Amino acid sequence: DEHLALLPPRYALGASPELIARQILLARRAVQGSPAVAFVPVPEQGYTVLLLCCPDTRGLFARMAGTLAALEVNILGARLDTRADGMAVDMFWISTTRGDVIDDPARLRRIGNTLEGVLQGTISFADVVARINARPLAPATKGPKLSLNNEISDHCTVLEILAEDRLGLAYSMASCLTQMGLNIVFAKLATEKTMAFDVFYLTDEAGGKLPSERWGTVLAALEGALHLPPR
């Protein structure tokens, strides 16, 4: 009850009681300031659930997404939530680049240790994501559809992105948003076949909605981050 009271109602709608219980245990481990990661392989569905609890900071999702991409882990979906006490309680649905479940204990330990090291600062994030930049990027065959809306949420600007899925797509978007000084308050990522449909609830540096006169700059930056020509 204490855990759920610190989170918006949508949180309980997107997770099973088992996953919520595991996150409560992770949050207890992370309360001292260290990140806590756990994995729940689901072989029959072809994915693994990655659970993360740690103090929320600007750019947290970008560091998570970048580290996973560098480790050749594909993000099929994600739910990013933050408790009222500042604790991030995130869920990622991940797979291999071929779309298979990740259940090898040694690989899961490597992923978990790398994520915790990056978030603690004991492993250089710049060195980790350098692996992404060293790989050739397959060009998109379809341009993404991007939209911003100030009517959906009372406190946030909602960004919707429909784009061809690829390894590192979430990192490209999150890194771009972070570099522009925007806060990701909530996000939901989903993949259907070859397309990713991602929703980000954003605030500006002052914690408010993005004014419409800034939208063009944000959309152009995102298109550039996705390696597309600007508007």
Side-chain angles (χ1 to χ4, degrees), residues 142-147 159-163 195 197 223 231:
K142 299 178 182 178
K145 295 181 180 180
L146 311 175
S147 68
L159 167 67
E160 294 183 340
I161 301 175
L162 177 65
M195 300 301 293
F197 180 64
E223 290 178 342
R231 290 175 182 270

Side-chain angles (χ1 to χ4, degrees), residues 45-159:
Q45 297 294 332
Y47 59 72
T48 298
V49 181
L50 186 165
L51 303 175
L52 166 74
C53 287
C54 69
D56 195 15
T57 57
R58 184 193 297 268
L60 172 63
F61 177 53
R63 293 195 299 277
M64 285 287 298
T67 302
L68 290 173
L71 294 171
E72 297 190 349
V73 173
N74 192 37
I75 300 176
L76 301 173
R79 285 289 306 266
L80 312 179
D81 288 287
T82 302
R83 298 195 320 190
D85 61 357
M87 179 72 68
V89 286
D90 298 341
M91 299 183 189
F92 296 81
W93 287 260
I94 62 174
S95 72
T96 67
T97 54
R98 299 185 304 274
D100 300 323
V101 64
I102 303 174
D103 55 6
D104 177 63
R107 186 175 186 188
L108 291 176
R109 279 195 301 271
R110 178 175 175 238
I111 295 170
N113 291 339
T114 305
L115 285 171
E116 291 181 356
V118 165
L119 298 181
Q120 286 177 315
T122 58
I123 296 177
S124 168
F125 178 59
D127 290 345
V128 170
V129 294
R131 305 175 200 172
I132 301 175
N133 298 327
R135 299 190 195 121
L137 180 65
T141 59
K142 299 178 182 178
K145 295 181 180 180
L146 311 175
S147 68
L148 290 166
N149 188 299
N150 272 344
E151 305 301 322
I152 296 175
S153 169
D154 291 337
H155 306 290
C156 302
T157 296
V158 177
L159 167 67

